Amino acid sequence: MRIGELAERTGVSTRSLRYYEQHGLLRARRASNGYRTYSEDDVRLVSEIRALLQIGFTLEETRPFVDCLRQGHSTGGSCAESVEVYERKLSEIDQEIRVLLARRAEVAAQLAQSCPGCFVRG
């Protein structure tokens, strides 16, 4: 399939697909006319990249998942390197939650001080 069809099937722009290719996450083959061509495996790779980006992974963090799929695994998260990225990402999210909870407590304290009768939800 050509780049337009891959874009349509995965919901990713052709510009993004070229960007993935520049970063070595997607490997286009070239037809005799010079057009990029892709396979069904590429649909799976792009879908994996897209899903991970949507939940907050960086493009570079998707690399172990793509590599895992290329090695023939049924899911991109089934390799040890991918599990390490999942664990690191969860740790980062937990830290972000702690920071947000501390900020929330500070804002709630300032509200309570400024407006003693005001109700603080949550």
Side-chain angles (χ1 to χ4, degrees):
M1 80 189 77
R2 293 194 9 212
I3 195 167
E5 184 180 347
L6 180 62
E8 185 177 314
R9 290 186 56 193
T10 59
V12 174
S13 69
T14 56
R15 184 176 179 177
S16 292
L17 293 173
R18 287 187 204 97
Y19 186 72
Y20 299 166
E21 186 179 343
Q22 286 176 338
H23 287 273
L25 294 168
L26 189 60
R27 298 179 189 148
R29 283 141 315 277
R30 295 286 181 161
S32 59
N33 59 7
Y35 290 156
R36 290 174 171 88
T37 62
Y38 301 93
S39 69
E40 287 300 316
D41 290 338
D42 295 317
V43 172
R44 219 167 112 208
L45 292 177
V46 172
S47 296
E48 181 85 3
I49 293 167
R50 182 173 185 234
L52 292 166
L53 291 174
Q54 285 180 333
I55 60 172
F57 285 73
T58 65
L59 190 60
E60 189 57 35
E61 288 171 330
T62 68
R63 189 171 303 281
F65 297 87
V66 169
D67 292 343
C68 190
L69 287 172
R70 281 195 183 127
Q71 292 168 16
H73 295 272
S74 60
T75 66
S78 59
C79 295
E81 295 83 4
S82 303
V83 171
E84 288 176 20
V85 174
Y86 273 141
E87 290 171 340
R88 187 170 47 249
K89 183 56 80 176
L90 281 174
S91 179
E92 289 172 11
I93 291 168
D94 288 341
Q95 179 59 32
E96 289 173 13
I97 290 169
R98 285 190 291 276
V99 167
L100 287 172
L101 287 171
R103 280 189 203 155
R104 186 191 187 289
E106 182 61 31
V107 171
Q110 289 180 13
L111 175 61
Q113 185 177 21
S114 300
C115 181
C118 293
F119 176 72
V120 179
R121 288 179 234 135

